[in-house]
Amino acid sequence: MLQQTQVSTVIAYYTRFIDRYNDISSLANADPDDVLALWTGLGYYARARNLHKAAIIMVEKHHGEMPDTLENLMALPGIGRSTAGAIMALAHKQAFPILDGNVKRVLARYNAISGWPGKKQVEQNLWQLAESLLPKKRVANYIQAQMDLGATICTRTKPLCSHCPLQQDCKAYLYEDPRNYPSPKPKKETPLRQTHWLIAQNTHGEIFLEKRPNHGIWGGLWSFPEKNEMKEVQFCSEHQLNIKTISTTPMAPIHHVFTHFKLDIYPFLIQCEYNSQQIGDNNCTGWYTIRNALRLGLPAPVKALLTLLE
Ligand code: SF4
């Protein structure tokens, strides 16, 4: 659960993003690096990449407008059936159901649908129920009310059934403990990975950074060279970056949690001599002053380490 200060920070980041890209074409025309840089701190970087790609498609195929069919919305990157349904209902006032996390919980309780909603069959049952309950009028209000009910009344751990307008027909409330619905995701051990980061800083104070591939974690963001083992860090600095090391200092490890795995990061600060012939100033790698590096799209731990070195 986010704390109040974190919520304020996230809202501030989103507001800054929306202020900069306040229509579809301004986002479509933006440099992908600028989009990612403005997204830094919000996590889920695939969302920023998808927003940018979706804006480009809307400009190219839909005259810079949001599509008004479910199929065309779902063809945009990052938009699934529930988000497309929400856009159809809220923006285009058409009768389409949604099934975000809050609505799944409300419907699972309302009809006592057991099982984890991540399972295909359970999800199908929930979609069927969501469709069957759609009203003929005021769909946008209905969809908004469903989401609000899940967010404020039918909450995950403390549903306020005595305040709920669905109380009289809600099967989970009438016959069981609502908290039994929906069933939780089956537990699976979260794997732990390790990585070693090489933070090369020359005597001009510049740091070596490389751009990560567009796919995978932190796709398209700028980061330090990373290696599985310490000995590879040394090999990389000597043979790949071709730097002359003055000193190597381990920094405090960082523990970072992703949705599918945890990552222990072991950063090593390698002070090296400045070399006017130094390699790596191109579109994908470069030596940056810390001030300039902090303007790039960066994973949160990279930003934290650079700020520490500033
Ligand atoms: S009665 Fe309780 S469990 Fe049922 S929908 Fe309302 S808040 Fe949720």
Side-chain angles (χ1 to χ4, degrees), residues 32 41 63 72 82 106 120 142 158 166 171 194 247 250 288 310:
H63 311 292
N72 283 343
S82 183
V106 173
K120 198 110 201 101
Y142 168 78
K158 289 182 190 159
L166 305 181
K171 290 187 180 157
Q194 289 188 347
S247 65
Y288 290 90
E310 201 177 11

Side-chain angles (χ1 to χ4, degrees), residues 72-136:
N72 283 343
L73 283 166
M74 288 175 67
L76 297 175
I79 296 194
R81 182 175 170 186
S82 183
T83 306
I87 296 169
M88 290 301 290
L90 298 174
H92 300 307
K93 312 284 184 241
Q94 295 196 40
F96 283 87
I98 69 159
L99 206 55
D100 71 357
N102 284 327
V103 175
K104 279 180 188 167
R105 185 171 58 254
V106 173
L107 295 183
R109 288 174 176 171
Y110 182 70
N111 227 32
I113 295 177
S114 54
W116 174 51
K119 269 182 134 180
K120 198 110 201 101
Q121 188 56 54
V122 179
E123 197 189 8
Q124 271 175 10
N125 294 343
L126 288 168
W127 273 118
Q128 275 170 8
L129 179 62
E131 276 188 40
S132 70
L133 293 172
L134 267 185
K136 296 218 169 5

